[in-house]
Structure formats: C-alpha cells, structure tokens
Coordinates of all heavy atoms in Angstrom, one line a residue:
M1 N -36.5 -1.2 6.8 CA -35.8 -2.3 7.4 C -34.8 -2.8 6.3 O -35.2 -3.0 5.1 CB -36.7 -3.3 7.9 CG -36.2 -4.4 8.6 SD -37.4 -5.5 9.2 CE -37.0 -5.6 10.9
A2 N -33.7 -3.2 6.7 CA -32.7 -3.8 5.8 C -31.7 -4.7 6.5 O -31.7 -4.8 7.7 CB -31.9 -2.7 5.1
A3 N -31.0 -5.4 5.8 CA -29.9 -6.3 6.3 C -28.8 -6.2 5.4 O -28.8 -6.0 4.2 CB -30.4 -7.8 6.4
E4 N -27.6 -6.5 6.0 CA -26.3 -6.4 5.2 C -25.4 -7.5 5.7 O -25.3 -7.8 6.9 CB -25.7 -5.0 5.4 CG -24.3 -4.9 4.7 CD -23.6 -3.6 5.0 OE1 -23.3 -3.3 6.2 OE2 -23.4 -2.9 4.0
I5 N -24.6 -8.1 4.7 CA -23.6 -9.0 5.1 C -22.3 -8.4 4.8 O -22.0 -8.0 3.6 CB -23.8 -10.3 4.4 CG1 -25.1 -11.0 4.7 CG2 -22.6 -11.3 4.7 CD1 -25.4 -12.3 3.9
E6 N -21.4 -8.4 5.8 CA -20.0 -7.9 5.5 C -19.1 -9.2 5.6 O -18.9 -9.7 6.6 CB -19.5 -6.9 6.5 CG -18.0 -6.5 6.4 CD -17.6 -5.6 7.5 OE1 -18.4 -5.3 8.4 OE2 -16.5 -5.2 7.4
W7 N -18.6 -9.7 4.4 CA -17.8 -10.9 4.4 C -16.4 -10.5 4.9 O -15.8 -9.6 4.5 CB -17.8 -11.4 2.9 CG -19.0 -11.9 2.4 CD1 -19.8 -11.3 1.5 CD2 -19.8 -13.0 2.8 NE1 -20.9 -12.0 1.3 CE2 -21.0 -13.1 2.1 CE3 -19.5 -14.0 3.8 CZ2 -21.9 -14.1 2.3 CZ3 -20.4 -15.0 4.0 CH2 -21.6 -15.1 3.2
V8 N -16.0 -11.3 5.9 CA -14.7 -11.0 6.5 C -13.7 -12.2 6.5 O -12.5 -12.1 6.9 CB -14.9 -10.6 8.0 CG1 -15.6 -9.3 8.1 CG2 -15.5 -11.7 8.8
T9 N -14.1 -13.3 5.8 CA -13.3 -14.5 5.8 C -13.4 -15.0 4.4 O -14.4 -15.1 3.8 CB -13.7 -15.6 6.8 OG1 -13.7 -15.0 8.1 CG2 -12.7 -16.8 6.7
G10 N -12.2 -15.4 3.9 CA -12.2 -16.0 2.5 C -10.9 -16.9 2.3 O -10.2 -17.2 3.3
V11 N -10.7 -17.5 1.2 CA -9.6 -18.3 0.9 C -8.9 -17.8 -0.3 O -9.4 -17.3 -1.3 CB -10.1 -19.7 0.5 CG1 -8.9 -20.7 0.1 CG2 -10.9 -20.3 1.7
I12 N -7.6 -17.7 -0.2 CA -6.6 -17.3 -1.3 C -6.0 -18.6 -1.8 O -5.5 -19.5 -1.1 CB -5.5 -16.5 -0.8 CG1 -6.1 -15.1 -0.3 CG2 -4.5 -16.2 -1.9 CD1 -5.1 -14.2 0.4
R13 N -6.1 -18.8 -3.1 CA -5.4 -19.8 -3.9 C -4.5 -19.2 -5.0 O -5.0 -18.3 -5.7 CB -6.4 -20.8 -4.5 CG -7.3 -21.5 -3.5 CD -8.3 -22.4 -4.3 NE -9.3 -23.0 -3.3 CZ -10.4 -22.5 -3.0 NH1 -10.8 -21.4 -3.6 NH2 -11.2 -23.0 -2.1
A14 N -3.4 -19.7 -5.1 CA -2.4 -19.2 -6.2 C -1.5 -20.3 -6.6 O -1.2 -21.2 -5.8 CB -1.6 -18.0 -5.6
G15 N -1.0 -20.2 -7.8 CA -0.1 -21.1 -8.3 C 0.2 -20.9 -9.8 O -0.3 -20.1 -10.5
R16 N 1.2 -21.7 -10.3 CA 1.7 -21.6 -11.6 C 0.7 -21.9 -12.7 O 0.6 -21.3 -13.7 CB 2.9 -22.5 -11.9 CG 4.1 -22.1 -11.0 CD 5.1 -23.2 -11.1 NE 4.6 -24.4 -10.6 CZ 5.1 -25.2 -9.7 NH1 6.2 -24.8 -9.1 NH2 4.6 -26.3 -9.3
K17 N -0.2 -22.9 -12.4 CA -1.3 -23.3 -13.3 C -2.6 -22.7 -12.9 O -3.6 -23.1 -13.6 CB -1.3 -24.9 -13.4 CG 0.0 -25.4 -13.9 CD -0.1 -26.9 -14.0 CE 1.2 -27.6 -14.5 NZ 1.2 -29.0 -14.4
F18 N -2.7 -21.9 -11.9 CA -4.0 -21.4 -11.4 C -4.5 -20.3 -12.2 O -3.7 -19.3 -12.4 CB -3.9 -21.1 -10.0 CG -5.2 -20.7 -9.4 CD1 -6.1 -21.7 -9.0 CD2 -5.6 -19.4 -9.2 CE1 -7.3 -21.4 -8.4 CE2 -6.8 -19.0 -8.6 CZ -7.7 -20.0 -8.2
S19 N -5.7 -20.3 -12.7 CA -6.2 -19.2 -13.4 C -7.7 -18.9 -12.9 O -8.2 -17.9 -13.2 CB -6.2 -19.3 -14.9 OG -7.0 -20.3 -15.3
G20 N -8.3 -19.8 -12.1 CA -9.6 -19.7 -11.6 C -10.0 -20.8 -10.7 O -9.3 -21.9 -10.7
H21 N -11.2 -20.6 -10.1 CA -11.6 -21.7 -9.2 C -11.7 -23.1 -9.9 O -12.2 -23.1 -11.0 CB -13.1 -21.3 -8.8 CG -13.5 -22.2 -7.6 ND1 -13.1 -22.2 -6.3 CD2 -14.5 -23.2 -7.7 CE1 -13.8 -23.1 -5.6 NE2 -14.6 -23.8 -6.4
G22 N -11.2 -24.0 -9.1 CA -11.2 -25.4 -9.7 C -9.9 -25.8 -10.3 O -9.6 -27.1 -10.5
D23 N -9.0 -24.8 -10.6 CA -7.7 -25.2 -11.2 C -6.7 -25.6 -10.1 O -6.9 -25.3 -8.9 CB -7.1 -23.9 -11.8 CG -7.8 -23.5 -13.1 OD1 -8.5 -24.4 -13.6 OD2 -7.7 -22.4 -13.7
E24 N -5.7 -26.3 -10.4 CA -4.6 -26.6 -9.6 C -3.9 -25.5 -9.1 O -3.7 -24.5 -9.8 CB -3.7 -27.5 -10.5 CG -2.4 -28.0 -9.8 CD -1.4 -28.8 -10.6 OE1 -2.0 -29.5 -11.6 OE2 -0.4 -28.9 -10.3
Y25 N -3.5 -25.6 -7.8 CA -2.8 -24.4 -7.2 C -1.7 -25.0 -6.3 O -1.6 -26.2 -5.9 CB -3.7 -23.6 -6.4 CG -4.5 -24.3 -5.3 CD1 -4.1 -24.4 -4.0 CD2 -5.8 -24.8 -5.6 CE1 -4.9 -25.1 -3.1 CE2 -6.5 -25.4 -4.7 CZ -6.1 -25.6 -3.4 OH -6.8 -26.3 -2.4
D26 N -0.7 -24.0 -6.0 CA 0.5 -24.4 -5.2 C 0.5 -23.9 -3.8 O 1.2 -24.4 -3.0 CB 1.8 -23.9 -5.9 CG 2.0 -24.4 -7.4 OD1 2.0 -25.6 -7.5 OD2 2.0 -23.6 -8.3
F27 N -0.3 -22.8 -3.6 CA -0.4 -22.3 -2.3 C -1.8 -21.9 -2.0 O -2.6 -21.4 -2.8 CB 0.5 -21.0 -2.3 CG 0.4 -20.2 -1.0 CD1 1.0 -20.7 0.2 CD2 -0.4 -19.1 -0.9 CE1 0.8 -20.0 1.4 CE2 -0.6 -18.3 0.3 CZ 0.0 -18.8 1.5
S28 N -2.2 -22.0 -0.8 CA -3.5 -21.6 -0.3 C -3.5 -21.1 1.1 O -2.6 -21.6 1.9 CB -4.6 -22.6 -0.5 OG -4.4 -23.7 0.4
C29 N -4.4 -20.2 1.6 CA -4.5 -19.8 2.9 C -5.8 -19.2 3.2 O -6.5 -18.9 2.2 CB -3.4 -18.9 3.3 SG -3.5 -17.2 2.7
T30 N -6.1 -19.1 4.5 CA -7.4 -18.4 4.9 C -7.0 -16.9 5.1 O -5.9 -16.6 5.5 CB -7.9 -19.0 6.2 OG1 -8.2 -20.4 6.0 CG2 -9.1 -18.2 6.8
V31 N -7.9 -16.0 4.8 CA -7.7 -14.7 4.9 C -8.8 -14.1 5.6 O -10.0 -14.3 5.3 CB -7.4 -13.9 3.5 CG1 -8.7 -14.0 2.6 CG2 -7.2 -12.4 3.7
N32 N -8.6 -13.4 6.8 CA -9.5 -12.7 7.5 C -9.4 -11.1 7.3 O -8.2 -10.7 7.4 CB -9.3 -12.9 9.0 CG -9.7 -14.3 9.4 OD1 -10.6 -14.9 8.8 ND2 -9.0 -14.8 10.4
R33 N -10.4 -10.5 6.9 CA -10.3 -9.1 6.5 C -11.0 -8.2 7.5 O -12.1 -8.5 8.0 CB -10.9 -8.9 5.2 CG -10.8 -7.5 4.7 CD -11.3 -7.3 3.3 NE -11.2 -5.9 2.9 CZ -11.4 -5.5 1.7 NH1 -11.8 -6.3 0.8 NH2 -11.4 -4.2 1.4
R34 N -10.3 -7.1 7.9 CA -10.9 -6.0 8.7 C -10.6 -4.7 8.0 O -9.4 -4.2 8.1 CB -10.2 -6.0 10.1 CG -10.6 -7.3 10.9 CD -12.0 -7.2 11.3 NE -12.3 -8.3 12.2 CZ -13.1 -9.4 11.8 NH1 -13.5 -9.5 10.6 NH2 -13.4 -10.3 12.6
G35 N -11.6 -4.2 7.3 CA -11.4 -3.0 6.5 C -10.3 -3.1 5.5 O -10.4 -4.0 4.6
E36 N -9.3 -2.3 5.6 CA -8.1 -2.3 4.6 C -7.1 -3.3 5.0 O -6.0 -3.4 4.3 CB -7.6 -1.0 4.4 CG -8.6 0.0 3.7 CD -8.0 1.5 3.6 OE1 -6.9 1.8 4.2 OE2 -8.6 2.2 2.9
W37 N -7.2 -4.0 6.1 CA -6.2 -4.9 6.6 C -6.6 -6.4 6.4 O -7.8 -6.7 6.5 CB -6.0 -4.7 8.1 CG -5.2 -3.6 8.4 CD1 -5.6 -2.3 8.5 CD2 -3.8 -3.5 8.8 NE1 -4.7 -1.5 8.9 CE2 -3.4 -2.1 9.0 CE3 -2.9 -4.5 8.9 CZ2 -2.2 -1.9 9.4 CZ3 -1.6 -4.2 9.2 CH2 -1.2 -2.8 9.4
A38 N -5.6 -7.2 6.1 CA -5.9 -8.6 5.9 C -4.9 -9.4 6.8 O -3.7 -9.1 6.8 CB -5.8 -9.1 4.5
E39 N -5.4 -10.5 7.4 CA -4.6 -11.4 8.2 C -4.6 -12.7 7.5 O -5.6 -13.3 7.2 CB -5.1 -11.6 9.6 CG -4.3 -12.5 10.4 CD -4.9 -12.9 11.7 OE1 -6.2 -12.8 11.8 OE2 -4.2 -13.3 12.6
L40 N -3.4 -13.2 7.0 CA -3.3 -14.4 6.3 C -3.0 -15.5 7.3 O -1.9 -15.4 8.0 CB -2.3 -14.4 5.2 CG -2.7 -13.6 3.9 CD1 -3.0 -12.1 4.2 CD2 -1.6 -13.7 2.9
I41 N -3.8 -16.6 7.4 CA -3.6 -17.7 8.3 C -3.7 -19.0 7.7 O -4.3 -19.1 6.6 CB -4.4 -17.6 9.6 CG1 -5.9 -17.7 9.1 CG2 -4.2 -16.3 10.4 CD1 -6.9 -17.7 10.4
G42 N -3.1 -20.1 8.3 CA -3.3 -21.4 7.7 C -2.8 -21.8 6.4 O -3.3 -22.4 5.7
G43 N -1.8 -21.1 6.1 CA -1.2 -21.2 4.8 C -0.6 -22.6 4.6 O -0.1 -23.3 5.5
N44 N -0.7 -23.1 3.3 CA -0.2 -24.4 3.0 C 0.3 -24.4 1.6 O -0.3 -23.8 0.6 CB -1.4 -25.4 3.0 CG -0.9 -26.9 2.9 OD1 0.2 -27.2 3.1 ND2 -1.8 -27.7 2.2
G45 N 1.5 -25.0 1.4 CA 2.1 -25.0 0.0 C 3.4 -24.1 -0.1 O 3.8 -23.7 1.0
Q46 N 3.8 -23.9 -1.2 CA 5.0 -23.2 -1.4 C 4.8 -21.7 -1.8 O 4.0 -21.4 -2.7 CB 5.8 -23.8 -2.5 CG 7.1 -23.2 -2.8 CD 7.8 -24.0 -4.0 OE1 7.2 -24.6 -4.8 NE2 9.1 -23.8 -4.0
V47 N 5.4 -20.9 -1.1 CA 5.3 -19.4 -1.4 C 6.6 -19.0 -2.1 O 7.7 -18.9 -1.6 CB 5.2 -18.6 -0.1 CG1 5.1 -17.1 -0.4 CG2 4.0 -19.0 0.7
T48 N 6.5 -18.7 -3.4 CA 7.6 -18.2 -4.2 C 7.4 -16.7 -4.4 O 6.3 -16.1 -4.2 CB 7.6 -18.9 -5.6 OG1 6.4 -18.6 -6.3 CG2 7.7 -20.4 -5.4
P49 N 8.4 -16.0 -5.0 CA 8.2 -14.6 -5.3 C 7.1 -14.4 -6.2 O 6.2 -13.4 -6.1 CB 9.5 -14.2 -5.9 CG 10.5 -15.1 -5.3 CD 9.8 -16.4 -5.1
E50 N 6.9 -15.3 -7.3 CA 5.8 -15.2 -8.2 C 4.5 -15.3 -7.5 O 3.4 -14.6 -7.7 CB 5.9 -16.1 -9.3 CG 7.1 -15.9 -10.2 CD 8.4 -16.5 -9.6 OE1 8.4 -17.3 -8.6 OE2 9.5 -16.1 -10.1
I51 N 4.4 -16.3 -6.5 CA 3.1 -16.5 -5.8 C 2.8 -15.3 -5.0 O 1.6 -14.9 -5.0 CB 3.1 -17.8 -5.1 CG1 3.0 -19.0 -6.2 CG2 2.1 -17.9 -4.1 CD1 3.1 -20.3 -5.6
W52 N 3.8 -14.8 -4.3 CA 3.6 -13.7 -3.5 C 3.0 -12.4 -4.2 O 2.1 -11.8 -3.9 CB 4.8 -13.2 -2.7 CG 4.7 -11.8 -2.1 CD1 5.3 -10.8 -2.4 CD2 3.7 -11.5 -1.1 NE1 4.9 -9.7 -1.7 CE2 3.8 -10.1 -0.8 CE3 2.7 -12.2 -0.4 CZ2 3.1 -9.4 0.1 CZ3 1.9 -11.4 0.5 CH2 2.1 -10.0 0.7
R53 N 3.6 -12.2 -5.4 CA 3.1 -11.1 -6.3 C 1.6 -11.3 -6.7 O 0.9 -10.3 -6.7 CB 4.0 -11.0 -7.6 CG 5.3 -10.3 -7.3 CD 6.0 -9.9 -8.6 NE 6.3 -11.1 -9.4 CZ 7.5 -11.7 -9.4 NH1 8.4 -11.3 -8.3 NH2 7.8 -12.7 -10.1
E54 N 1.3 -12.6 -7.0 CA -0.1 -12.8 -7.4 C -1.1 -12.6 -6.1 O -2.1 -12.0 -6.3 CB -0.3 -14.2 -7.9 CG 0.4 -14.3 -9.3 CD -0.1 -13.4 -10.4 OE1 -1.4 -13.2 -10.4 OE2 0.7 -12.9 -11.2
V55 N -0.6 -13.1 -5.0 CA -1.4 -12.9 -3.7 C -1.6 -11.5 -3.5 O -2.6 -10.9 -3.2 CB -0.8 -13.6 -2.6 CG1 -1.5 -13.2 -1.3 CG2 -0.9 -15.2 -2.8
K56 N -0.5 -10.7 -3.5 CA -0.5 -9.3 -3.2 C -1.4 -8.6 -4.2 O -2.2 -7.7 -3.8 CB 0.9 -8.7 -3.4 CG 1.0 -7.2 -3.2 CD 2.4 -6.7 -3.3 CE 2.6 -5.3 -3.4 NZ 4.0 -4.8 -3.4
A57 N -1.4 -8.9 -5.5 CA -2.2 -8.2 -6.5 C -3.7 -8.5 -6.2 O -4.5 -7.7 -6.4 CB -1.9 -8.8 -7.9
A58 N -4.0 -9.8 -5.9 CA -5.4 -10.1 -5.5 C -5.9 -9.4 -4.3 O -7.1 -8.9 -4.3 CB -5.5 -11.7 -5.3
L59 N -5.0 -9.2 -3.3 CA -5.5 -8.4 -2.1 C -5.7 -7.0 -2.5 O -6.6 -6.4 -2.1 CB -4.5 -8.5 -1.0 CG -4.3 -9.9 -0.4 CD1 -3.0 -10.0 0.5 CD2 -5.5 -10.2 0.5
V60 N -4.7 -6.4 -3.2 CA -4.9 -5.0 -3.6 C -6.2 -4.7 -4.4 O -6.8 -3.8 -4.3 CB -3.6 -4.5 -4.4 CG1 -3.8 -3.1 -5.0 CG2 -2.4 -4.5 -3.3
A61 N -6.5 -5.7 -5.3 CA -7.6 -5.6 -6.2 C -8.9 -5.6 -5.4 O -9.9 -5.0 -5.8 CB -7.7 -6.8 -7.1
Q62 N -8.9 -6.1 -4.1 CA -10.0 -6.2 -3.3 C -10.0 -5.0 -2.3 O -10.8 -4.8 -1.4 CB -10.0 -7.5 -2.5 CG -10.2 -8.7 -3.3 CD -11.7 -8.8 -3.8 OE1 -12.6 -8.5 -3.1 NE2 -11.8 -9.0 -5.1
G63 N -9.0 -4.0 -2.5 CA -9.0 -2.9 -1.6 C -8.2 -3.0 -0.3 O -8.2 -2.1 0.6
V64 N -7.5 -4.1 -0.2 CA -6.6 -4.3 0.9 C -5.4 -3.5 0.8 O -4.7 -3.6 -0.3 CB -6.3 -5.8 1.2 CG1 -5.4 -6.0 2.3 CG2 -7.7 -6.6 1.5
T65 N -4.9 -2.8 1.8 CA -3.6 -2.0 1.8 C -2.5 -2.6 2.7 O -1.4 -2.3 2.5 CB -3.9 -0.6 2.1 OG1 -4.4 -0.5 3.5 CG2 -4.9 0.1 1.2
H66 N -2.9 -3.4 3.6 CA -1.9 -3.9 4.5 C -2.2 -5.4 4.8 O -3.3 -5.8 5.0 CB -1.9 -3.2 5.9 CG -1.3 -1.8 5.7 ND1 -2.0 -0.8 5.3 CD2 -0.1 -1.4 6.1 CE1 -1.3 0.3 5.4 NE2 -0.2 0.0 5.8
A67 N -1.1 -6.3 4.8 CA -1.4 -7.7 5.1 C -0.4 -8.0 6.4 O 0.6 -7.5 6.5 CB -1.0 -8.5 3.9
H68 N -1.0 -9.0 7.1 CA -0.2 -9.5 8.3 C -0.2 -11.0 8.3 O -1.3 -11.6 8.0 CB -1.0 -9.0 9.6 CG -0.4 -9.6 10.9 ND1 0.6 -8.9 11.6 CD2 -0.7 -10.5 11.5 CE1 0.9 -9.6 12.6 NE2 0.1 -10.6 12.7
W69 N 0.9 -11.6 8.5 CA 1.0 -13.1 8.4 C 2.1 -13.4 9.3 O 3.1 -12.7 9.6 CB 1.0 -13.6 7.1 CG 2.4 -13.2 6.3 CD1 3.5 -13.9 6.3 CD2 2.6 -11.9 5.7 NE1 4.4 -13.2 5.6 CE2 4.0 -11.9 5.3 CE3 1.8 -10.8 5.5 CZ2 4.5 -10.9 4.6 CZ3 2.4 -9.8 4.8 CH2 3.7 -9.8 4.3
D70 N 2.2 -14.8 9.6 CA 3.4 -15.4 10.3 C 3.3 -16.8 9.9 O 2.4 -17.4 9.4 CB 3.4 -15.2 11.8 CG 2.2 -15.9 12.4 OD1 1.1 -15.9 12.0 OD2 2.5 -16.5 13.5
R71 N 4.6 -17.4 10.0 CA 4.7 -18.8 9.7 C 5.3 -19.5 11.0 O 6.2 -19.1 11.6 CB 5.8 -19.0 8.6 CG 6.3 -20.3 8.4 CD 5.3 -21.1 7.6 NE 5.8 -22.4 7.2 CZ 5.2 -23.5 7.3 NH1 4.0 -23.6 7.7 NH2 5.8 -24.7 7.1
V72 N 4.4 -20.5 11.4 CA 4.9 -21.2 12.6 C 5.2 -22.6 12.3 O 4.3 -23.3 11.8 CB 3.8 -21.1 13.7 CG1 4.3 -21.9 15.0 CG2 3.5 -19.6 14.1
N73 N 6.4 -23.1 12.5 CA 6.9 -24.5 12.2 C 8.0 -24.8 13.2 O 9.1 -24.4 12.8 CB 7.2 -24.6 10.8 CG 7.6 -26.0 10.5 OD1 7.5 -26.9 11.3 ND2 8.0 -26.2 9.2
N74 N 7.7 -25.1 14.4 CA 8.6 -25.4 15.5 C 9.1 -24.0 16.1 O 9.4 -24.0 17.2 CB 9.9 -26.0 15.0 CG 9.6 -27.5 14.5 OD1 8.7 -28.1 15.0 ND2 10.3 -27.9 13.5
A75 N 9.2 -22.9 15.4 CA 9.5 -21.6 15.9 C 8.8 -20.5 15.1 O 8.6 -20.7 14.0 CB 11.0 -21.3 15.9
P76 N 8.3 -19.5 15.8 CA 7.6 -18.4 15.0 C 8.5 -17.8 14.0 O 9.7 -17.6 14.3 CB 7.2 -17.4 16.0 CG 7.2 -18.1 17.3 CD 8.2 -19.2 17.1
R77 N 8.0 -17.5 12.8 CA 8.9 -16.9 11.7 C 8.0 -16.0 10.9 O 6.7 -16.1 10.9 CB 9.4 -17.9 10.8 CG 10.5 -18.8 11.4 CD 11.1 -19.8 10.4 NE 10.7 -21.0 10.8 CZ 10.9 -22.1 10.0 NH1 11.4 -22.0 8.9 NH2 10.4 -23.3 10.4
S78 N 8.6 -15.1 10.3 CA 7.9 -14.1 9.4 C 8.3 -14.3 7.9 O 9.5 -14.6 7.8 CB 8.2 -12.6 9.8 OG 7.8 -12.4 11.1
I79 N 7.3 -14.2 7.1 CA 7.7 -14.3 5.6 C 7.8 -12.9 5.2 O 6.9 -12.1 5.3 CB 6.6 -15.0 4.8 CG1 6.4 -16.4 5.4 CG2 6.8 -15.0 3.4 CD1 5.3 -17.2 4.8
V80 N 8.9 -12.5 4.7 CA 9.2 -11.1 4.3 C 9.5 -11.0 2.7 O 10.4 -11.7 2.3 CB 10.4 -10.6 5.1 CG1 10.7 -9.2 4.6 CG2 10.2 -10.7 6.5
A81 N 8.8 -10.2 2.0 CA 9.0 -9.9 0.7 C 10.0 -8.7 0.6 O 9.6 -7.7 1.0 CB 7.8 -9.6 -0.2
T82 N 11.2 -8.9 -0.1 CA 12.2 -7.9 -0.1 C 12.0 -7.1 -1.3 O 11.2 -7.5 -2.2 CB 13.6 -8.5 0.0 OG1 13.8 -9.1 -1.3 CG2 13.8 -9.4 1.1
D83 N 12.7 -6.0 -1.4 CA 12.7 -5.1 -2.6 C 13.1 -5.9 -3.9 O 12.9 -5.5 -5.0 CB 13.5 -3.9 -2.4 CG 12.9 -2.9 -1.4 OD1 11.7 -3.0 -1.2 OD2 13.7 -2.1 -0.8
K84 N 13.9 -6.9 -3.7 CA 14.5 -7.5 -4.8 C 13.7 -8.7 -5.2 O 14.1 -9.6 -6.0 CB 15.9 -8.1 -4.5 CG 16.9 -7.0 -4.2 CD 18.3 -7.5 -3.8 CE 19.2 -6.4 -3.5 NZ 20.5 -6.8 -3.0
D85 N 12.4 -8.7 -4.9 CA 11.4 -9.8 -5.3 C 11.9 -11.2 -4.8 O 11.6 -12.1 -5.4 CB 11.3 -9.8 -6.8 CG 10.0 -9.3 -7.2 OD1 9.1 -9.0 -6.3 OD2 9.8 -9.0 -8.4
Q86 N 12.6 -11.1 -3.6 CA 12.9 -12.5 -3.0 C 12.2 -12.5 -1.7 O 11.8 -11.6 -1.1 CB 14.4 -12.5 -2.8 CG 15.1 -12.2 -4.1 CD 16.5 -13.0 -4.2 OE1 16.8 -13.5 -3.2 NE2 17.0 -12.9 -5.2
I87 N 11.9 -13.8 -1.3 CA 11.2 -13.9 0.0 C 12.2 -14.6 0.9 O 12.9 -15.6 0.6 CB 10.0 -14.8 -0.2 CG1 9.0 -14.0 -1.0 CG2 9.4 -15.3 1.1 CD1 7.6 -14.7 -1.3
S88 N 12.3 -14.0 2.2 CA 13.3 -14.7 3.1 C 12.4 -15.0 4.3 O 11.4 -14.4 4.6 CB 14.4 -13.7 3.5 OG 13.8 -12.5 4.1
V89 N 12.8 -16.1 5.0 CA 12.2 -16.5 6.3 C 13.0 -16.2 7.4 O 14.2 -16.5 7.4 CB 11.8 -17.9 6.2 CG1 11.1 -18.4 7.5 CG2 10.9 -18.3 5.1
Q90 N 12.6 -15.4 8.4 CA 13.5 -14.9 9.4 C 12.8 -15.4 10.8 O 11.6 -15.2 10.9 CB 13.6 -13.4 9.4 CG 14.1 -13.0 8.0 CD 14.0 -11.4 7.9 OE1 13.6 -10.7 8.8 NE2 14.6 -11.0 6.8
P91 N 13.6 -15.6 11.8 CA 13.1 -15.9 13.2 C 12.8 -14.7 13.9 O 13.4 -14.3 14.9 CB 14.2 -16.8 13.8 CG 15.4 -16.2 13.1 CD 15.1 -15.8 11.7
E92 N 11.7 -14.0 13.4 CA 11.3 -12.7 14.0 C 9.8 -12.8 14.4 O 9.2 -13.9 14.2 CB 11.5 -11.5 13.1 CG 13.0 -11.4 12.8 CD 13.3 -10.3 11.8 OE1 12.3 -9.7 11.4 OE2 14.5 -9.9 11.5
Q93 N 9.3 -11.8 14.9 CA 8.0 -11.6 15.2 C 7.1 -11.6 13.9 O 7.6 -11.2 12.8 CB 7.6 -10.3 16.0 CG 8.3 -10.3 17.4 CD 7.7 -11.4 18.2 OE1 6.5 -11.6 18.2 NE2 8.5 -12.0 19.0
P94 N 5.8 -11.9 13.9 CA 5.0 -11.8 12.8 C 5.1 -10.4 12.2 O 5.2 -9.4 12.9 CB 3.5 -12.1 13.4 CG 3.8 -12.9 14.5 CD 5.0 -12.5 15.1
C95 N 5.0 -10.3 10.9 CA 5.2 -9.0 10.2 C 3.9 -8.5 9.6 O 3.0 -9.2 9.3 CB 6.3 -9.1 9.2 SG 5.9 -10.2 7.8
S96 N 3.9 -7.2 9.4 CA 2.9 -6.5 8.6 C 3.6 -5.8 7.4 O 4.7 -5.3 7.6 CB 2.2 -5.5 9.4 OG 1.5 -6.1 10.5
Q97 N 3.0 -5.8 6.3 CA 3.5 -5.0 5.2 C 2.5 -4.3 4.5 O 1.4 -4.7 4.3 CB 4.1 -6.1 4.1 CG 4.7 -5.4 3.0 CD 5.3 -6.4 2.0 OE1 5.4 -7.5 2.3 NE2 5.9 -5.8 1.0
A98 N 2.9 -3.0 4.1 CA 2.0 -2.2 3.3 C 2.1 -2.7 1.9 O 3.2 -2.9 1.4 CB 2.5 -0.7 3.3
L99 N 0.9 -3.0 1.3 CA 0.9 -3.5 0.0 C 1.1 -2.6 -1.1 O 1.3 -3.0 -2.2 CB -0.5 -4.2 -0.2 CG -0.7 -5.4 0.8 CD1 -2.0 -6.0 0.5 CD2 0.4 -6.4 0.8
N100 N 1.0 -1.4 -0.9 CA 1.2 -0.3 -1.9 C 2.7 0.1 -1.9 O 3.0 1.1 -2.6 CB 0.3 0.9 -1.8 CG 0.5 1.5 -0.4 OD1 1.3 1.1 0.4 ND2 -0.3 2.6 -0.1
A101 N 3.6 -0.5 -1.2 CA 5.0 -0.1 -1.1 C 5.7 -0.7 -2.3 O 5.3 -1.7 -2.9 CB 5.6 -0.6 0.1

C-alpha cells in the first residue's frame, strides 16, 4: 500500500531584487501544472524581458516545456515574448509558447 502527492499548483515570484523566498519581488502569479505544460494565471506586477527570462528559466528547470497565459484587463490580451527579447501585448487570443524555442 502506498500514497503519492502530485503537486499541480504553485506560485511564481520574480524580480530585480529577488533571490529567494521572502525577498522583494516585482511579479508574481499562480501556476497550474499538467505534465510538461504550465498555465500561468492571476499575474500581478510588471513583466519585463528580464523577468520573463527568469520565469522561463524557473519553469524549464522544473521540466516544463510549454507555458500558456493570457492577460485580461478590459479586453483579453496575450503576452508574447519575441525573438528580440522584447515583450509585446497584443489584442489576441491567449497564447502558448514552447519554452525550449
């Protein structure tokens, strides 16, 4: 007889002065995980290219290969990380991104 817990919900915190739990952070969100996929919800704070890189690295370190998120503030929007390390906000459907790209 055995029991197992599969954790599927967590919190992401990131920021310029953040290095570990208890530190000041600029961005946080809830993350729901299903296998190699993560859904980021309830984001709060500023998402900069540097913060996105740190969030991406944290997800990849946990074995996540794809992330899905959207931004809703009067109208649905997607947060898109471009090849030039810039983040643009577009009035489109929620997006998914391969993290190993």
Side-chain angles (χ1 to χ4, degrees):
M1 183 177 234
E4 176 184 63
I5 298 174
E6 178 185 2
W7 294 108
V8 296
T9 302
V11 176
I12 295 174
R13 296 180 187 93
R16 295 173 299 240
K17 298 179 182 178
F18 185 80
S19 63
H21 186 75
D23 289 346
E24 179 180 330
Y25 54 90
D26 300 305
F27 173 77
S28 67
C29 70
T30 300
V31 59
N32 292 327
R33 182 172 179 177
R34 294 290 183 253
E36 294 179 348
W37 283 80
E39 176 189 28
L40 284 60
I41 59 174
N44 186 31
Q46 183 180 22
V47 179
T48 63
E50 294 82 12
I51 287 174
W52 167 245
R53 281 193 296 274
E54 293 300 323
V55 168
K56 179 178 170 180
L59 290 168
V60 169
Q62 294 291 315
V64 173
T65 60
H66 291 78
H68 175 87
W69 66 95
D70 65 318
R71 169 78 173 135
V72 179
N73 185 2
N74 298 326
R77 290 183 250 174
S78 297
I79 300 172
V80 180
T82 67
D83 292 338
K84 296 179 181 176
D85 255 348
Q86 307 213 349
I87 293 179
S88 63
V89 179
Q90 304 170 359
E92 295 178 356
Q93 294 297 321
C95 65
S96 296
Q97 179 175 359
L99 297 181
N100 58 359

